[in-house]
Amino acid sequence: DRPLTVIAGPCALESVDLGQEVAGRMKEICQAAGAQYVFKASYDKANRTSLSGGRGLGLDEGLKALQSVKDAIGVPVLTDVHTEAQCAPVAQVADILQIPAFLCRQTDMLLAAGETGAVVNIKKGQFLAPWEMGNIVTKVESTGNTRILLTERGTSFGYNTLVADMRSLPQMAQTGYPVVMDATHSVQQPGGKGGSSGGQREFAPVMARAAVAIGVGAVFIETHPDPDTAPSDGPNMIYLDQMPALIDTLMQFDALAKARPVSV
Amino acid sequence: DRPLTVIAGPCALESVDLGQEVAGRMKEICQAAGAQYVFKASYDKANRTSLSGGRGLGLDEGLKALQSVKDAIGVPVLTDVHTEAQCAPVAQVADILQIPAFLCRQTDMLLAAGETGAVVNIKKGQFLAPWEMGNIVTKVESTGNTRILLTERGTSFGYNTLVADMRSLPQMAQTGYPVVMDATHSVQQPGGKGGSSGGQREFAPVMARAAVAIGVGAVFIETHPDPDTAPSDGPNMIYLDQMPALIDTLMQFDALAKARPVSV
Amino acid sequence: DRPLTVIAGPCALESVDLGQEVAGRMKEICQAAGAQYVFKASYDKANRTSLSGGRGLGLDEGLKALQSVKDAIGVPVLTDVHTEAQCAPVAQVADILQIPAFLCRQTDMLLAAGETGAVVNIKKGQFLAPWEMGNIVTKVESTGNTRILLTERGTSFGYNTLVADMRSLPQMAQTGYPVVMDATHSVQQPGGKGGSSGGQREFAPVMARAAVAIGVGAVFIETHPDPDTAPSDGPNMIYLDQMPALIDTLMQFDALAKARPVSV
Amino acid sequence: DRPLTVIAGPCALESVDLGQEVAGRMKEICQAAGAQYVFKASYDKANRTSLSGGRGLGLDEGLKALQSVKDAIGVPVLTDVHTEAQCAPVAQVADILQIPAFLCRQTDMLLAAGETGAVVNIKKGQFLAPWEMGNIVTKVESTGNTRILLTERGTSFGYNTLVADMRSLPQMAQTGYPVVMDATHSVQQPGGKGGSSGGQREFAPVMARAAVAIGVGAVFIETHPDPDTAPSDGPNMIYLDQMPALIDTLMQFDALAKARPVSV
């Protein structure tokens, strides 16, 4: 069991500069703590709560920006895809294609992502039981691609609220694939601010810690130098300058968890 | 307030023959009861629980089959779209484009559907509060298209279960658009049979009745001559031969409800 | 199937005068509409959200007030009990003993209530599935008392929110006992105002109507001449002067529902 | 921040012998691991799913059995109370009075428990938001007793299912009182076996670990030499012979968590 991987970056890839700043800083933080690091950012926000929410750089500019982060910082990158057609071009740049939670049952997209040969990170839909991920994994596996990650990002719990069921982590691990805890979106309050989503940033480290103690392959944490000015998910992103202490703590829990694995 | 519209048909458009049989029978039933009728069927099941679930006729064959139903039976037709690209060709045939619940926040698809000028029926996501539909309506309205319907089809309630919150109907009506009660998918048990969804067919008429009593523009009910042999949603489709009594009852409740509208 | 029974009154039995005013007015309203009527009020609020919430008249004064309503107005009365010891004295006055939802699994209280021989109205706990009411019914039946009513009052749905699952009504009816729809507490927002519960009064008629259309034995509706000054459940009680129109409408739906019963 | 306290024992106090066996073994296990230990068992199961479920030794025999455990093993004991009247006699023996989750809003019982001067452990109702515990704490504090513990034991999540929201732990800690994670009842499936509750014993250690990593004052774990023969909560109790490894692991996480406390 390898040490924890940290998937981190800003929600939206606002600019090349922001991407390089966050990726560079996170690479240092993770190296210092002994964690693997993957840069994450979105080139398009295709399902914003409201029409007036910004969409981002778009596919072409976005892929250039991701490539520049890879080139300048030397880290693998993850980004989300939104249609079948995006999978192949995105896989030219991204090391990990991420399937958004709302789209996790769209068969054609899962197949297109699988066929690229890239790692496919599937977010469990907010409407899905953990044991249903087996059916989704089978869709990707049918392409011959078994480089699969499964991510917990919270489950619908009444209106405008998610709950992270910790049983989900060992349940999804029974597929045999690494499990990722998305500590950022688990504490999102979807649509909670009327025209945009709210969030409880203060609980993201709590979720990350609980998950790492149970034992996961990776944590997914959105971070930004100044979350309150970010175009999306500001309320649940963590301040970049709080990441060193958080990652260091998580690595301590990770070492302990992997020395004493849970058996379910 | 016009009399209730009934949107009904088989979940999957299995064949031209099945389409014509169901549409023909439903047209008679609705005429007898004084209801408007719209034929519904899907040409592609793009988000099946499992890979082995049948997909259907596909876009080309499916549109031909829908056209044949329109021509032969003389009824308007509704079908669901799954990508931006499908919107324009489907609108050549279908009178109503339906946005699947999982996809109800995908901005580009909402815009593409709106731009066709066809009626757009948006299913409320299982993960969405009723009051969030205002943001979604705004996306479609931005195209200049205000021919919009909003459908309740159940909300996530624990795992493998949905609950239909009746408050959703007057809440969505506050947008000013007609509201549709999907009595079939409200009683679905998503993923409840492992490799496919379960359902509680016996409660579909209960849901339809409650909704019509509150006051809705339309009910959406999937029906089939032999649901237990249907390729999808068999457990929650209603037997075609039970539709005359159901529609007749619903029309009685509709008349009473519209004579005494709720005010919220 | 007899016409609908209306169980109505103020949440708390604030005074003899208020009790007689509401009971007298509701008796007239129900007679005019052809409904059976039962007066409802609580002599003690034993589980207020916060300590500073008023408790009410207490057992002795409360029973005298209930008796005065029976004597002066000539209607049967329902009130809730909170301990085993209260059952016998309350049954000296009340025609129906009501088991509060939080207490619906307390075996000794169910037995004590059953042993009085009075009608026992059991509210389904917010934490209970409808099909679990069979086990609870068995507890009361073990005393030889089969004068049982089962009430739907909403189920926990995330935090501070309830949802009324309409499937619950025919499911509970499968026990063979009459089912009551509590339209008031189904729209409560438990703890929603911090130190007290909130509510959505505007949806109570919606819930009542949906339930009556499905077919129930009774509706339970809290009402007050001036809900905003009431000591408890003000946000979800209905104005007394809106009851004539509501009851009249419900009776129309009741007649239709009982002419065309659902079969589940 | 003191080391973790372990509250453990069989669900039901079946006999003096079972009590002494479990208490004796758990005392050794906790001493070896450096944990504080409190014995837990119930003398009465007052809210069994069904009438045929065993109730236990009853108050008089039960208190004698608890006293014998205290005398013979020399450990503090916790047991639950079910009525106001039970509080004083139980406090003659028990060090900690536990308020069952269903009863956590019953004002008179909270006051009676507080007035004994014993420690009062309040289980958060399955229907309650974590932030509502402040109102409940105020009820006990009004007696002058501030020896209070607050326990998370899962929240209603659809039917027959609970979910443990890890945010609840730091939220309840904001009251200033120690928080307990009940790892056993969080994985209960209420009513899940028809006439009794089901459970997912395999996830109890997962919940305990996640909670301890976040930082709690105590864990509550039911254990039995042979859970499958136990009269209640068998499906979610842990085998006594698995406790040494579990407690040892939890103490390692506890040390790490308390060295690096979360701040919310």
Side-chain angles (χ1 to χ4, degrees):
Chain A
D1 276 287
R2 293 182 303 175
L4 190 69
T5 294
V6 173
I7 304 170
C11 180
L13 184 50
E14 301 168 39
S15 67
V16 168
D17 283 355
L18 178 76
Q20 293 194 0
E21 175 189 352
V22 174
R25 188 74 190 95
M26 282 305 308
K27 183 184 178 186
E28 292 166 12
I29 294 167
C30 289
Q31 272 177 339
Q36 305 267 129
Y37 174 58
V38 175
F39 176 74
K40 181 271 157 183
S42 298
Y43 56 83
D44 183 16
K45 307 306 298 177
N47 57 22
R48 294 304 300 260
T49 301
S50 70
L51 187 61
S52 57
R55 289 286 294 260
L57 294 179
L59 186 64
D60 293 344
E61 283 305 299
L63 291 182
K64 280 182 207 156
L66 279 179
Q67 185 66 54
S68 86
V69 169
K70 290 185 73 164
D71 294 344
I73 314 295
V75 291
V77 305
L78 170 154
T79 198
D80 34 2
V81 289
H82 309 282
T83 64
E84 246 180 285
Q86 291 176 355
C87 293
V90 170
Q92 298 289 105
V93 177
D95 303 89
I96 306 178
L97 301 192
Q98 179 169 283
I99 307 296
F102 292 158
L103 305 181
C104 74
R105 290 248 311 245
Q106 302 301 311
T107 305
D108 291 334
M109 222 181 100
L110 291 163
L111 299 180
E115 279 156 12
T116 65
V119 177
V120 181
N121 179 28
I122 309 165
K123 292 203 162 183
K124 186 181 79 60
Q126 298 88 336
F127 45 80
L128 214 72
W131 47 87
E132 296 186 68
M133 291 298 276
N135 288 319
I136 289 176
V137 157
T138 304
K139 294 182 184 182
V140 177
E141 285 174 339
S142 76
T143 66
N145 186 340
T146 57
R147 303 174 69 208
I148 297 173
L149 305 173
L150 302 178
T151 296
E152 168 64 37
R153 53 90 76 230
T155 301
S156 287
F157 182 60
Y159 292 133
N160 298 317
T161 311
L162 299 172
V163 66
D165 181 355
M166 291 292 151
R167 292 171 297 194
S168 172
L169 304 172
Q171 278 170 329
M172 293 201 296
Q174 287 173 345
T175 60
Y177 293 105
V179 171
V180 183
M181 178 71 193
D182 177 345
T184 300
H185 294 97
S186 298
V187 300
Q188 196 185 39
Q189 297 172 316
K193 302 178 83 168
S196 65
S197 291
Q200 298 176 301
R201 176 189 299 147
E202 66 276 23
F203 290 115
V206 172
M207 291 298 157
R209 208 190 241 237
V212 169
I214 292 169
V216 289
V219 289
F220 175 111
I221 304 175
E222 290 184 350
T223 184
H224 194 280
D226 185 11
D228 294 327
T229 66
S232 63
D233 272 325
N236 35 334
M237 281 199 283
I238 291 182
Y239 283 88
L240 184 55
D241 63 13
Q242 296 175 348
M243 291 296 272
L246 175 58
I247 301 302
D248 187 59
T249 296
L250 293 181
M251 292 310 291
Q252 303 251 357
F253 279 100
D254 184 59
L256 187 50
K258 284 171 182 162
R260 300 186 171 225
V262 297
S263 63
V264 171
Chain B
D1 276 284
R2 294 182 302 176
L4 190 69
T5 295
V6 174
I7 303 171
C11 180
L13 185 50
E14 301 167 40
S15 67
V16 169
D17 284 354
L18 178 75
Q20 294 194 359
E21 175 190 352
V22 175
R25 188 75 189 95
M26 283 304 308
K27 184 183 179 186
E28 292 167 10
I29 294 168
C30 289
Q31 272 177 338
Q36 305 265 130
Y37 174 58
V38 176
F39 176 73
K40 180 271 156 182
S42 299
Y43 57 82
D44 184 16
K45 307 305 299 177
N47 58 21
R48 294 303 302 260
T49 301
S50 71
L51 186 61
S52 57
R55 288 288 291 261
L57 294 179
L59 186 63
D60 293 345
E61 284 305 300
L63 291 182
K64 280 182 208 157
L66 279 179
Q67 186 66 52
S68 85
V69 169
K70 290 185 72 163
D71 294 343
I73 314 294
V75 291
V77 304
L78 171 154
T79 197
D80 34 2
V81 289
H82 310 282
T83 65
E84 248 181 284
Q86 291 177 355
C87 293
V90 170
Q92 299 290 105
V93 176
D95 304 90
I96 306 178
L97 301 192
Q98 179 168 284
I99 307 296
F102 292 158
L103 304 180
C104 75
R105 289 250 310 248
Q106 302 302 312
T107 304
D108 291 334
M109 222 180 100
L110 291 163
L111 299 180
E115 279 156 12
T116 65
V119 177
V120 181
N121 179 28
I122 310 165
K123 293 205 162 182
K124 185 180 80 59
Q126 299 87 336
F127 44 81
L128 214 72
W131 47 87
E132 295 186 70
M133 291 299 276
N135 289 318
I136 289 175
V137 157
T138 304
K139 294 183 184 181
V140 178
E141 286 175 338
S142 76
T143 65
N145 186 341
T146 56
R147 302 174 71 207
I148 297 173
L149 304 174
L150 302 178
T151 296
E152 169 64 36
R153 53 91 77 230
T155 301
S156 288
F157 181 61
Y159 292 133
N160 297 318
T161 311
L162 300 172
V163 66
D165 181 356
M166 291 292 151
R167 292 171 297 194
S168 172
L169 304 173
Q171 278 170 329
M172 294 201 296
Q174 288 174 344
T175 60
Y177 293 106
V179 170
V180 183
M181 178 71 193
D182 177 345
T184 300
H185 294 97
S186 298
V187 299
Q188 195 185 38
Q189 297 172 316
K193 302 177 84 169
S196 65
S197 291
Q200 298 176 299
R201 177 190 299 148
E202 66 275 23
F203 290 116
V206 172
M207 292 297 156
R209 207 189 242 239
V212 169
I214 292 169
V216 289
V219 290
F220 176 111
I221 304 175
E222 290 183 350
T223 184
H224 194 280
D226 185 10
D228 295 326
T229 65
S232 63
D233 272 326
N236 34 336
M237 281 200 282
I238 291 181
Y239 284 87
L240 184 55
D241 64 15
Q242 296 175 346
M243 291 296 272
L246 175 58
I247 301 303
D248 187 59
T249 296
L250 295 180
M251 292 311 290
Q252 303 250 358
F253 280 100
D254 184 59
L256 187 49
K258 283 172 182 163
R260 303 188 169 222
V262 297
S263 63
V264 171
Chain C
D1 276 289
R2 294 182 302 175
L4 190 69
T5 294
V6 174
I7 302 171
C11 180
L13 183 51
E14 301 168 38
S15 68
V16 169
D17 283 356
L18 178 75
Q20 293 194 0
E21 176 188 352
V22 175
R25 189 75 189 94
M26 283 304 309
K27 184 184 178 186
E28 291 167 12
I29 294 167
C30 289
Q31 271 177 340
Q36 304 266 130
Y37 173 58
V38 176
F39 176 73
K40 181 272 158 183
S42 298
Y43 57 82
D44 184 17
K45 307 306 297 176
N47 58 21
R48 295 302 302 262
T49 301
S50 69
L51 186 62
S52 57
R55 291 286 294 259
L57 294 180
L59 185 65
D60 293 344
E61 284 304 300
L63 291 182
K64 280 181 205 157
L66 281 178
Q67 185 66 54
S68 85
V69 169
K70 290 184 72 164
D71 294 344
I73 314 297
V75 291
V77 304
L78 171 153
T79 198
D80 34 2
V81 288
H82 310 282
T83 64
E84 248 181 285
Q86 290 177 356
C87 293
V90 170
Q92 298 289 105
V93 177
D95 304 89
I96 305 179
L97 301 193
Q98 179 169 283
I99 306 296
F102 291 158
L103 304 182
C104 75
R105 288 250 310 246
Q106 302 302 312
T107 304
D108 291 333
M109 221 180 101
L110 291 163
L111 298 181
E115 279 157 11
T116 66
V119 176
V120 181
N121 179 27
I122 310 165
K123 293 202 160 182
K124 186 181 79 60
Q126 299 89 336
F127 44 81
L128 213 72
W131 48 87
E132 296 185 69
M133 290 299 276
N135 289 318
I136 289 176
V137 158
T138 304
K139 294 183 184 182
V140 178
E141 286 175 337
S142 76
T143 66
N145 187 340
T146 57
R147 304 174 69 206
I148 297 173
L149 305 174
L150 302 178
T151 296
E152 169 63 37
R153 54 88 78 231
T155 301
S156 287
F157 181 61
Y159 292 134
N160 298 317
T161 312
L162 300 172
V163 67
D165 180 355
M166 291 293 152
R167 291 171 296 192
S168 172
L169 304 173
Q171 279 169 327
M172 294 200 296
Q174 288 173 345
T175 59
Y177 293 106
V179 171
V180 183
M181 178 70 192
D182 177 346
T184 300
H185 293 97
S186 298
V187 299
Q188 195 185 39
Q189 295 172 317
K193 301 178 84 169
S196 65
S197 290
Q200 296 176 302
R201 176 189 300 148
E202 66 276 24
F203 290 115
V206 172
M207 291 299 156
R209 209 189 240 239
V212 169
I214 291 170
V216 289
V219 290
F220 175 112
I221 305 175
E222 290 185 349
T223 184
H224 194 281
D226 185 11
D228 294 328
T229 66
S232 64
D233 272 326
N236 34 335
M237 281 199 281
I238 291 182
Y239 284 88
L240 184 56
D241 63 14
Q242 296 175 349
M243 292 295 274
L246 175 58
I247 300 302
D248 188 59
T249 296
L250 294 180
M251 292 311 292
Q252 304 251 357
F253 280 100
D254 184 60
L256 187 50
K258 284 172 182 163
R260 301 185 171 227
V262 298
S263 64
V264 171
Chain D
D1 276 286
R2 292 183 302 176
L4 190 69
T5 294
V6 174
I7 302 170
C11 181
L13 184 50
E14 301 167 39
S15 67
V16 169
D17 282 354
L18 178 76
Q20 293 193 0
E21 176 189 352
V22 175
R25 189 76 188 95
M26 283 305 308
K27 184 184 178 186
E28 291 167 11
I29 293 167
C30 289
Q31 271 176 340
Q36 305 265 130
Y37 174 58
V38 176
F39 176 73
K40 181 271 157 183
S42 298
Y43 57 82
D44 184 18
K45 307 307 297 177
N47 57 21
R48 295 302 303 259
T49 300
S50 70
L51 185 62
S52 57
R55 289 287 293 262
L57 294 181
L59 185 64
D60 293 343
E61 284 306 299
L63 290 183
K64 278 181 207 157
L66 281 179
Q67 186 66 52
S68 85
V69 169
K70 289 184 72 163
D71 293 344
I73 314 295
V75 291
V77 304
L78 171 153
T79 198
D80 33 2
V81 289
H82 310 282
T83 65
E84 247 180 287
Q86 291 176 356
C87 293
V90 170
Q92 299 290 104
V93 176
D95 303 273
I96 305 178
L97 301 193
Q98 180 169 284
I99 308 296
F102 291 158
L103 304 181
C104 75
R105 288 251 309 247
Q106 302 302 313
T107 304
D108 291 332
M109 221 180 100
L110 291 164
L111 298 180
E115 280 157 10
T116 66
V119 176
V120 181
N121 179 28
I122 311 165
K123 293 203 160 180
K124 186 179 80 57
Q126 298 88 336
F127 44 81
L128 214 73
W131 47 86
E132 296 187 69
M133 290 300 275
N135 289 317
I136 289 176
V137 157
T138 303
K139 294 182 184 182
V140 178
E141 287 174 337
S142 76
T143 66
N145 186 342
T146 57
R147 304 174 70 207
I148 298 173
L149 305 174
L150 302 178
T151 296
E152 170 64 35
R153 53 90 78 231
T155 300
S156 287
F157 182 60
Y159 292 133
N160 298 318
T161 311
L162 301 172
V163 66
D165 180 355
M166 290 292 151
R167 291 171 298 193
S168 172
L169 305 173
Q171 279 170 328
M172 293 201 297
Q174 288 174 344
T175 60
Y177 293 105
V179 170
V180 183
M181 179 70 192
D182 177 345
T184 300
H185 294 97
S186 298
V187 299
Q188 195 185 39
Q189 296 172 318
K193 302 178 84 168
S196 65
S197 291
Q200 297 176 301
R201 176 190 299 147
E202 66 276 23
F203 289 115
V206 172
M207 291 298 156
R209 208 189 241 239
V212 168
I214 291 169
V216 289
V219 289
F220 175 111
I221 305 175
E222 289 184 348
T223 184
H224 194 282
D226 185 11
D228 294 327
T229 65
S232 64
D233 272 326
N236 35 336
M237 281 199 281
I238 292 181
Y239 283 87
L240 184 56
D241 63 14
Q242 295 175 349
M243 291 295 272
L246 174 57
I247 301 301
D248 187 59
T249 296
L250 293 181
M251 292 311 290
Q252 304 251 357
F253 279 101
D254 183 61
L256 187 49
K258 285 173 180 161
R260 302 187 169 224
V262 298
S263 63
V264 172

